[in-house]
């Protein structure tokens, strides 16, 4: 038996209208065409779908069974159609994010909270475990956006600039480094550097300062959480280099001092990598706007 969506719509229209004439009018077709459609469906099923001697026209037991199917299936089809219309209009979609920056959660969550209110139909998620293969995941369409400070030349991938930030040293108030107006690579040769658990090639203190100067610190200690890093720094267990937005409160606390790296300071830029054809989607464009403005507010606080 071959049932089309028009058959389900027909059976429901006849039931709701109470007769062929009204159903034909609702469906914008002639009564004879509607009757022919019903007859063809009954021939396929091998049973009558209506009790034709009744007025108004009533469904037979077989017709009731088909009506239940129509009432279940048609709303689902309409929901899928609405989703497709929303996708075409840019009202809905998917925004799965991978992050190559541990400290980015500080500004990303406020951005996502605003985004969620503006785009409730967009499926938002932060995908764990992809930090070291994020770009490959983006190209495979496993994620839709990657937060990174290391732009690459990748076919079909665009790196949308977000904002600039300054990698900044934080040390205990009692550290000898507190006497220095700025920090040079040699100042860290005898220091324990507390970092996030990522490769050196993704750490600003190495890429922007130590590696170019060929300076190796006394030791490197990896810690997962920003709060724990700051606790260890305050207790004199080491120093750390963190983005300026992370240190917006710590630099005013009596336990810490913050110092720029090099006399002129270092400046890095954060990017949001997306597939090029998706950067102009309305919801993606709005996320990028928020990600350009909200972190700057944190930096200025």
């Amino acid at each position: 038996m071959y049932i089309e969506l028009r058959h389900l719509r027909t059976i429901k229209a006849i039931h709701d209208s109470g007769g062929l004439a009204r159903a034909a009018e609702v469906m914008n077709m002639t009564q004879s065409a509607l009757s022919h459609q019903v007859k063809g469906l009954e021939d396929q099923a091998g049973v009558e779908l209506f009790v034709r001697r009744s007025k108004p026209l009533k469904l037979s037991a077989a017709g009731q069974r088909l009506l239940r199917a129509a009432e279940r299936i048609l709303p689902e089809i309409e929901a899928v159609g609405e989703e497709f219309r929303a996708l075409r209009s840019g009202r809905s979609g998917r925004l799965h994010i991978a992050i190559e920056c541990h400290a980015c959660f500080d500004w990303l969550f406020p951005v996502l909270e605003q985004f969620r209110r503006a785009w409730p139909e967009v499926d938002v998620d932060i995908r764990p475990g992809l930090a070291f293969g994020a770009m490959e995941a983006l190209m495979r369409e496993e994620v839709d956006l990657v937060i990174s400070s290391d732009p690459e030349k990748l076919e079909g991938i665009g790196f949308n600039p977000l904002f600039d930030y300054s990698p900044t040293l934080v040390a205990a108030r009692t550290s000898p480094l507190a006497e220095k107006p700025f920090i040079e690579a040699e100042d860290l040769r005898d220091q324990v550097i507390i970092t996030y658990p990522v490769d050196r090639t993704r750490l600003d203190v190495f890429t922007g300062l130590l590696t170019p100067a060929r300076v190796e610190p006394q030791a490197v200690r990896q810690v997962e959480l920003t709060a724990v890093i700051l606790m260890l720094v305050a207790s004199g267990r080491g120093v750390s280099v963190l983005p300026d937005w992370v240190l917006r409160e710590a630099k005013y606390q009596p336990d810490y001092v913050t110092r720029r790296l090099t006399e002129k300071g270092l400046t890095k830029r954060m990017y949001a990598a997306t597939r090029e054809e998706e950067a102009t989607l309305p919801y993606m464009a709005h996320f990028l706007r928020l990600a350009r403005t909200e972190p700057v507010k944190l930096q200025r606080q």
Side-chain angles (χ1 to χ4, degrees), residues 25 64 76 106 133 200 210 238-239 297:
E25 184 177 339
Q64 289 285 350
E76 293 182 7
D106 283 31
R200 290 186 178 194
L210 296 178
V239 300
K297 294 178 183 178

Side-chain angles (χ1 to χ4, degrees), residues 68 75 84 221 233:
R68 290 196 297 272
F84 287 169
R221 180 172 181 177
V233 167

Side-chain angles (χ1 to χ4, degrees), residues 151-162:
E152 307 174 42
K153 289 186 177 180
L154 298 172
E155 184 177 357
I157 302 299
F159 282 80
N160 306 275
L162 298 180

Side-chain angles (χ1 to χ4, degrees), residues 132 150 193 195-212 214-222 268:
F132 301 106
D150 300 305
I193 307 294
T195 75
Y196 295 110
V198 299
D199 189 85
R200 290 186 178 194
T201 59
R202 299 192 182 279
L203 292 170
D204 295 332
V205 64
F206 283 97
T207 60
L209 188 68
L210 296 178
T211 301
R214 298 184 179 180
V215 170
E216 183 67 22
Q218 176 184 322
V220 176
R221 180 172 181 177
Q222 294 187 332
K268 295 272 289 182

Side-chain angles (χ1 to χ4, degrees), residues 72-92:
R72 184 181 71 255
I73 295 170
L74 290 177
E76 293 182 7
I77 296 298
E78 178 58 31
V80 171
E82 177 58 30
E83 289 179 11
F84 287 169
R85 288 189 289 273
L87 285 170
R88 288 195 298 271
S89 67
R91 288 189 293 109
S92 72

